[in-house]
């Protein structure tokens, strides 16, 4: 499904695992390090809330569909961490098109993600392994 109840309509797109922008980890070590789907849910909720409330990048999120973002980000992280989910959202290029995201916005977003992972008690080594999966996405998210 492209949208779930409570979400705004989006233009049609093809659902594909590759839309997640990274291949999943093997095995269950990363899923355990993030405390499973419950832990990933807590991290995503905190991360999304902090981005919307952020004095530096919050403006980019204003008027965006927070319900959908929480769902698709959860799916994406859960999929990449091999915690038992499929990613059904858009690809990273389409999702961030014409948003004008700059490198410093990306840095700030990563800081918010680090804070959310830290609050969940995710070990630094595991945090960094996820961040390494996300880092190459900068090339399609950041527009100059
Ligand atoms: C590696 C970095 C990033 C990842 C993994 C990521 C992930 C995602 C995902 C999964 C979606 C939802 C896709 C969908 O709706 O189908 C999304 C949308 C969005 N992202 Fe990102 N994102 C990243 C960087 C950023 C940055 C740096 C910003 C701005 C500071 C940003 C702002 C947004 C906004 C505002 C949306 C909502 C777009 C809409 O509803 O049309 N993202 N992102």
């Amino acid at each position: 499904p492209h949208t779930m109840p409570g979400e705004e309509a989006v233009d049609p797109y093809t659902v594909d695992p590759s839309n997640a922008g990274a291949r999943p980890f093997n095995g269950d070590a990363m899923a355990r390090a993030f405390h499973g789907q419950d832990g990933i849910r807590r991290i995503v909720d905190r991360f999304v809330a902090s981005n919307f409330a952020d004095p530096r990048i919050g403006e980019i999120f204003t008027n965006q569909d927070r319900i959908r973002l929480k769902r698709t980000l959860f799916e994406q992280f859960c999929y990449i961490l091999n915690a038992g989910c499929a990613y059904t959202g858009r690809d990273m290029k389409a999702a961030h098109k014409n948003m004008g995201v700059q490198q410093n916005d990306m840095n700030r977003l990563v800081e918010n993600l680090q804070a959310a992972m830290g609050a969940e008690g995710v070990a630094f080594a595991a945090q960094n392994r996820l961040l390494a999966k996300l880092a190459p996405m900068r090339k399609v998210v950041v527009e100059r």
Side-chain angles (χ1 to χ4, degrees):
H2 294 150
T3 56
M4 295 291 281
E7 297 177 4
E8 293 160 21
V10 298
D11 290 337
Y13 60 93
T14 305
V15 172
D16 193 282
S18 69
N19 289 352
R23 298 282 309 140
F25 289 101
N26 294 314
D28 67 353
M30 288 297 283
R32 283 190 286 105
F34 278 71
H35 308 150
Q37 292 192 7
D38 289 348
I40 297 167
R41 178 80 64 194
R42 286 188 290 269
I43 291 167
V44 167
D45 286 356
R46 187 182 287 266
F47 176 47
V48 169
S50 62
N51 286 331
F52 273 77
D54 194 297
R56 277 146 68 178
I57 59 172
E59 198 183 352
I60 302 174
F61 289 88
T62 306
N63 297 324
Q64 301 290 349
D65 186 347
R66 183 169 172 152
I67 305 288
R68 177 186 174 85
L69 188 55
K70 276 194 193 180
R71 174 178 67 85
T72 51
L73 257 186
F74 169 79
E75 288 179 1
Q76 186 190 35
F77 286 6
C78 179
Y79 168 74
I80 292 173
L81 293 166
N82 202 23
C85 305
Y87 177 68
T88 67
R90 292 169 284 193
D91 69 74
M92 292 303 96
K93 191 172 182 67
H96 302 93
K97 196 170 174 342
N98 298 329
M99 215 174 265
V101 172
Q102 299 295 298
Q103 180 60 48
N104 57 334
D105 302 322
M106 176 80 184
N107 294 344
R108 183 63 181 172
L109 180 123
V110 169
E111 286 174 12
N112 290 340
L113 177 55
Q114 288 175 312
M117 293 187 293
E120 177 62 24
V122 177
F124 281 115
Q127 290 187 25
N128 290 335
R129 290 185 71 196
L130 177 61
L131 292 175
K133 287 275 196 188
L134 305 184
M137 300 178 196
R138 180 190 60 79
K139 291 194 286 287
V140 294
V141 171
V142 172
E143 298 176 326
R144 54 174 73 239

